Amino acid sequence: MIDIIIRLALLFCSISMLGLIYRVIKGPSTADRVIALDAIGVNLVAITALISIVLNSHAFLEIILLIGILAFIGTVAFAKYLEKGVIIERERNH
Protein backbone atom coordinates (compact mmCIF):
# COMPACT_ATOMS: atom_id res chain seq x y z
CA MET A 1 0.00 0.00 0.00
CA ILE A 2 2.73 2.47 0.93
CA ASP A 3 4.56 1.57 -2.28
CA ILE A 4 1.55 2.67 -4.34
CA ILE A 5 1.29 5.94 -2.41
CA ILE A 6 4.99 6.69 -2.92
CA ARG A 7 4.73 5.99 -6.64
CA LEU A 8 1.66 8.25 -6.89
CA ALA A 9 3.56 10.98 -5.05
CA LEU A 10 6.43 10.59 -7.55
CA LEU A 11 3.94 10.88 -10.41
CA PHE A 12 2.33 14.02 -8.96
CA CYS A 13 5.72 15.62 -8.29
CA SER A 14 6.75 14.90 -11.88
CA ILE A 15 3.53 16.38 -13.27
CA SER A 16 3.94 19.49 -11.14
CA MET A 17 7.54 19.76 -12.37
CA LEU A 18 6.25 19.99 -15.94
CA GLY A 19 3.92 22.82 -14.94
CA LEU A 20 6.73 24.63 -13.18
CA ILE A 21 9.03 24.33 -16.18
CA TYR A 22 6.26 25.86 -18.28
CA ARG A 23 5.98 28.72 -15.75
CA VAL A 24 9.75 29.32 -15.89
CA ILE A 25 9.63 29.56 -19.70
CA LYS A 26 6.36 31.49 -20.14
CA GLY A 27 6.15 33.35 -16.82
CA PRO A 28 4.54 36.76 -17.21
CA SER A 29 7.12 38.38 -14.93
CA THR A 30 10.58 37.68 -13.63
CA ALA A 31 9.21 37.24 -10.11
CA ASP A 32 6.97 34.41 -11.34
CA ARG A 33 10.00 32.74 -12.88
CA VAL A 34 11.96 33.03 -9.64
CA ILE A 35 9.11 31.51 -7.63
CA ALA A 36 8.83 28.67 -10.16
CA LEU A 37 12.58 28.00 -9.91
CA ASP A 38 12.29 27.85 -6.12
CA ALA A 39 9.37 25.43 -6.39
CA ILE A 40 11.43 23.29 -8.80
CA GLY A 41 14.10 23.09 -6.11
CA VAL A 42 11.51 21.97 -3.56
CA ASN A 43 10.17 19.38 -6.02
CA LEU A 44 13.69 18.07 -6.65
CA VAL A 45 14.14 17.60 -2.90
CA ALA A 46 10.80 15.77 -2.70
CA ILE A 47 11.54 13.53 -5.68
CA THR A 48 15.00 12.69 -4.34
CA ALA A 49 13.53 11.85 -0.93
CA LEU A 50 10.87 9.63 -2.50
CA ILE A 51 13.47 7.83 -4.60
CA SER A 52 15.54 7.35 -1.46
CA ILE A 53 12.53 5.75 0.23
CA VAL A 54 11.83 3.50 -2.77
CA LEU A 55 15.46 2.34 -2.91
CA ASN A 56 15.66 2.06 0.91
CA SER A 57 18.92 4.00 0.89
CA HIS A 58 20.40 6.74 3.05
CA ALA A 59 22.89 7.73 0.35
CA PHE A 60 20.65 10.47 -1.02
CA LEU A 61 20.34 12.47 2.21
CA GLU A 62 23.43 14.57 1.49
CA ILE A 63 22.12 15.24 -2.01
CA ILE A 64 18.81 16.40 -0.55
CA LEU A 65 20.63 18.85 1.72
CA LEU A 66 22.79 20.11 -1.13
CA ILE A 67 19.81 20.69 -3.43
CA GLY A 68 17.95 22.51 -0.65
CA ILE A 69 20.88 24.79 0.14
CA LEU A 70 21.55 25.58 -3.52
CA ALA A 71 17.87 26.29 -4.19
CA PHE A 72 17.75 28.66 -1.19
CA ILE A 73 20.92 30.51 -2.22
CA GLY A 74 19.65 30.82 -5.80
CA THR A 75 16.31 32.21 -4.66
CA VAL A 76 17.97 34.75 -2.38
CA ALA A 77 20.34 35.84 -5.18
CA PHE A 78 17.47 36.26 -7.66
CA ALA A 79 15.41 38.19 -5.11
CA LYS A 80 18.33 40.50 -4.37
CA TYR A 81 18.90 41.02 -8.08
CA LEU A 82 15.22 41.88 -8.63
CA GLU A 83 15.26 44.33 -5.74
CA LYS A 84 18.58 46.11 -6.27
CA GLY A 85 19.75 45.18 -9.76
CA VAL A 86 23.04 43.68 -8.51
CA ILE A 87 23.87 40.54 -6.61
CA ILE A 88 27.23 41.46 -5.10
CA GLU A 89 27.57 45.02 -3.89
CA ARG A 90 31.03 46.52 -4.11
CA GLU A 91 32.13 49.65 -2.36
CA ARG A 92 33.75 52.18 -4.63
CA ASN A 93 36.52 54.33 -3.26
CA HIS A 94 36.90 57.46 -5.38
Side-chain angles (χ1 to χ4, degrees):
M1 180 68 176
I2 193 75
D3 191 46
I4 295 170
I5 293 172
I6 291 173
R7 294 194 190 275
L8 281 174
L10 275 170
L11 176 69
F12 292 143
C13 283
S14 301
I15 291 170
S16 69
M17 191 74 85
L18 292 174
L20 290 169
I21 290 171
Y22 174 79
R23 180 56 51 205
V24 168
I25 294 170
K26 291 285 198 175
S29 70
T30 307
D32 290 329
R33 291 184 172 109
V34 171
I35 292 171
L37 282 173
D38 186 47
I40 285 173
V42 171
N43 270 350
L44 282 175
V45 168
I47 288 171
T48 308
L50 290 168
I51 289 173
S52 177
I53 292 170
V54 168
L55 297 178
N56 197 18
S57 172
H58 297 285
F60 295 108
L61 296 179
E62 291 87 9
I63 296 171
I64 290 171
L65 286 172
L66 181 67
I67 293 171
I69 290 169
L70 289 175
F72 173 74
I73 290 172
T75 302
V76 168
F78 274 124
K80 189 172 180 182
Y81 176 74
L82 288 176
E83 182 180 333
K84 297 185 179 180
V86 294
I87 296 174
I88 300 174
E89 296 175 6
R90 299 174 194 241
E91 292 185 27
R92 296 183 186 190
N93 295 329
H94 290 235

